[in-house]
Amino acid sequence: MKVLVIGGGAREHALCRSLSLDPDVTALHCAPGNAGIAEVAELHPVDQLDGEAVARLATGLGADLVVVGPEAPLVAGVADAVRAAGVPCFGPSQEAALLEGSKAFAKDVMAGANVPTARSYVCTTPEEIDTALDAFGAPYVVKDDGLAAGKGVVVTEDVEQARAHALSCDRVVIEEYLDGPEVSLFAITDGVTVLPLTPAQDFKRALDGDEGPNTGGMGAYSPLPWADPKLVDEVMATVLQPTVDELRRRGTPFQGLLYAGLAITGRGVRVIEFNARFGDPETQVVLARLKTPLAGVLLNAANGTLENEPPLTWRDEAAVTVVIASRNYPGTPRTGDAIEGLDEVAAQDAPHAYVLHAGTKRDGDAIVSDGGRVLSVTATGKDLAEARRRAYTAVGRVRLDGSQHRTDIARVAAGE
């Protein structure tokens, strides 16, 4: 099988790493990729938002499967263009990707599917914003209706900060605050059959102790030793399958990766948000634990034959990933700084720990930073404590001037 992965972050590096280890994959390509992905896949320059260009690349390569990683190409309709060219594609249509592209559309789908979620208002005027903020009170949850690269959500006790964020959006969803721990649960679906993956938890705040601004994610771990063993079955029955069924009923079947961001509240499971693709950084830990070869599962989802896929199998290991971010992230990041120590991790920590690249590029013989989140250092172990220890040992070998990372990823779950 020849596979083309679209994207260039740590999520795509995790996907490419898993696909490169799959014996059925005979050729692996990535566009545009990054410096780390170049070690396992052939890179191609492409505008990942240009569906026709991606489709031309796929047909030119003779790809048997295209996997679209990020949300922006999906919302731009890239998967539609690839399928129109006759190439199987893992990723929802432009219409179905609205589940992530519009918070208001997602709320409407959840209402139609009777999926438990936070009460909310969709607002477009200052008057509507004030009414919604007053109705719910603090803490205020304000979400940009459109794509915002994981940084469109403000949760604050400060009504003026909440109002300012709401006014900066064309259309905004204001909703009740959901208490309780958060869980990410992915499911692979062909539009009918739904195959859940293993739950993970990510850390969205920039600083230790869940302080600081929201980010795209600073780390993650799996499994969740504190979670109810029946959680996946419950979410399948109340969230994932009903949502897939509702989208099919509307004539917009969802084929690809359905990501449910969940809050485990005192009143039960509630959906915080849906994404239409693998989450970053949760993908790094989920795929680290997946034993089933990946390519065939994704191809079955793309071809509508997922009912033929046996249940997924998982390694009896824990996984932890720690994001190394550049100076100033999540503000405007400083880029172009040399990254050192990657060879030391490969020599001393493999195979239990490895580095997945996000915002990197090659500059002559050097690898330099090229984004806000630069690397995801991922490790496995017999339990979370061992995986965490291995991850932070590897983090300590990486040198990037001005870089930042959280020191408390999975600390509480590991019992430390």
Side-chain angles (χ1 to χ4, degrees), residues 6-7 31-32 45-55 68-82 94 147:
I6 303 302
V46 77
D47 176 358
Q48 59 184 3
L49 300 180
D50 184 340
E52 298 306 318
V54 172
V68 182
E71 61 272 26
L74 293 167
V75 173
V78 167
D80 302 271
V82 171
Q94 183 174 32
L147 290 181

Side-chain angles (χ1 to χ4, degrees), residues 182-208:
E182 295 185 13
V183 173
S184 301
L185 184 60
F186 303 163
I188 292 169
T189 179
D190 61 2
V192 178
T193 302
V194 181
L195 205 59
L197 305 189
T198 191
Q201 187 175 58
D202 75 331
F203 295 74
K204 293 186 174 66
R205 298 283 185 172
L207 306 176
D208 282 7

Side-chain angles (χ1 to χ4, degrees), residues 30-340:
C30 186
N34 61 39
I37 295 173
E39 297 175 10
V40 294
E42 184 179 341
L43 302 191
H44 304 270
V46 77
D47 176 358
Q48 59 184 3
L49 300 180
D50 184 340
E52 298 306 318
V54 172
R56 277 197 304 275
L57 175 61
T59 53
L61 292 171
D64 301 298
L65 174 66
V66 173
V67 179
V68 182
E71 61 272 26
L74 293 167
V75 173
V78 167
D80 302 271
V82 171
R83 279 192 278 267
V87 181
C89 184
F90 182 82
S93 67
Q94 183 174 32
E95 283 187 283
L98 261 184
L99 201 63
E100 177 168 4
S102 167
K103 303 287 191 300
F105 175 75
K107 288 289 187 183
D108 188 60
V109 170
M110 283 188 266
N114 200 27
V115 166
T117 186
R119 293 179 297 122
S120 63
Y121 292 98
V122 179
C123 307
T124 55
T125 69
E127 293 77 20
E128 290 174 346
I129 288 166
D130 287 339
T131 298
L133 292 173
D134 289 344
F136 289 130
Y140 303 97
V141 181
V142 184
K143 299 181 176 182
D144 190 332
D145 181 54
L147 290 181
K151 295 191 282 288
V153 179
V154 166
V155 181
T156 178
E157 298 278 348
D158 183 343
V159 69
E160 293 306 322
Q161 185 186 1
R163 182 179 287 114
H165 181 60
L167 291 170
S168 72
C169 306
D170 289 333
R171 186 160 78 150
V172 67
V173 174
I174 296 173
E175 62 184 39
E176 67 175 327
Y177 176 75
L178 296 175
D179 65 329
E182 295 185 13
V183 173
S184 301
L185 184 60
F186 303 163
I188 292 169
T189 179
D190 61 2
V192 178
T193 302
V194 181
L195 205 59
L197 305 189
T198 191
Q201 187 175 58
D202 75 331
F203 295 74
K204 293 186 174 66
R205 298 283 185 172
L207 306 176
D208 282 7
D210 290 327
E211 299 289 333
N214 253 351
T215 72
M218 295 298 290
Y221 69 94
S222 179
L224 313 183
W226 49 267
D228 187 329
K230 302 191 200 70
L231 177 65
V232 173
D233 290 341
E234 179 186 346
V235 175
M236 269 291 290
T238 63
V239 175
L240 296 170
Q241 191 71 57
T243 300
V244 169
D245 292 344
E246 173 69 10
L247 286 165
R248 187 175 69 254
R249 188 186 66 77
R250 291 174 178 227
T252 55
F254 189 105
Q255 285 181 283
L257 195 289
L258 178 58
Y259 166 129
L262 309 164
I264 313 302
T265 77
R267 294 171 293 141
V269 174
R270 297 288 185 273
V271 175
I272 301 169
E273 64 174 353
F274 282 126
N275 289 335
R277 37 74 193 180
F278 280 100
D280 182 349
E282 300 98 319
T283 301
Q284 289 86 304
V285 292
V286 171
L287 292 186
R289 299 185 59 223
L290 180 64
K291 190 186 273 187
T292 302
L294 184 62
V297 184
L298 302 186
L299 185 62
N300 272 331
N303 284 335
T305 53
L306 203 57
E307 78 270 14
N308 299 332
E309 188 67 40
L312 300 176
T313 56
W314 300 93
R315 294 186 179 89
D316 189 22
E317 287 185 311
V320 172
T321 194
V322 180
V323 170
I324 298 177
S326 55
R327 185 193 293 272
N328 296 331
Y329 179 77
T332 303
R334 193 175 85 184
T335 59
D337 291 310
I339 303 167
E340 299 176 330

